[in-house]
Amino acid sequence: MNPGDVISYLEMCSEEGVNLQRGMNYHLRRDYSVILMSLRPNAPYSDRIENDGRFLIYEGHDVPKTTDNPIPKVVNQPMYNPGGTLTQNGLFYEAAQKLKRTKQGQELVRVYEKLHAGIWVYNGFFRLVDAWQEESNTRKVFKFKLELAEDTLPGHKHAKREVSLVHDRLIPPQVKLVVWKRDRGRCVMCGSTDNLHFDHIIPYSKGGSSLVAENIQLLCARHNLAKRDKIE
Ligand SMILES: [Zn+2]
């Protein structure tokens, strides 16, 4: 799987070997965590992208909706569960603080983004670089800063062609939505709806932007490969 690939919910779950239910999954696997994001207008959390797609600022998660907390959006996002263990917010927060303190090791986070019901985009590997709490509408929320990782996971085999892809930048969700609608969820070359990929028309490494829909298009795996071979 390459950053920018369009996948189904089932493909995402099969890639991670679990049914992904939660947005934040600290150390889902031995050597990385998994985060699910969504920036659509009705998305429950306000995540954002900075520095031309190099950084992702991810908002932490609310308390679960219960009779005690009927409106989670007015309650501080919790560091601890009622039993005293760390919540997912707390786990990621502690990990980021430890990294900053010791300056040793790294926390890799794999990021998936919801495009539509059942349709997801794989955004690639990021490194957790910071975490903090901030005021948002009279309550405290967690923010996590993630930096696009240049390298893939140690020990994971990737073909040469795949490694070069990570040098592209994260395409903002708003841009992805515009492109998805414009290209009608199909490869612009052949109309295929299978194995789609958000392609930089001019690659980032050659000066193409990730931030404008005019430089992004949908390609199927076959046409994506054909194009990449031509460029390299
Ligand atoms: Zn095609």
Side-chain angles (χ1 to χ4, degrees), residues 187 189-190 220 223:
C187 172
M189 303 295 285
C190 68
C220 70
H223 283 111

Side-chain angles (χ1 to χ4, degrees), residues 187-192 196 218-224:
C187 172
V188 296
M189 303 295 285
C190 68
S192 170
L196 293 173
L218 282 174
L219 288 181
C220 70
R222 189 162 66 91
H223 283 111
N224 188 40

Side-chain angles (χ1 to χ4, degrees), residues 66-79:
T66 60
T67 42
D68 287 343
N69 289 306
I71 313 171
K73 287 280 169 208
V74 300
V75 182
N76 287 343
Q77 290 186 340
M79 174 89 84

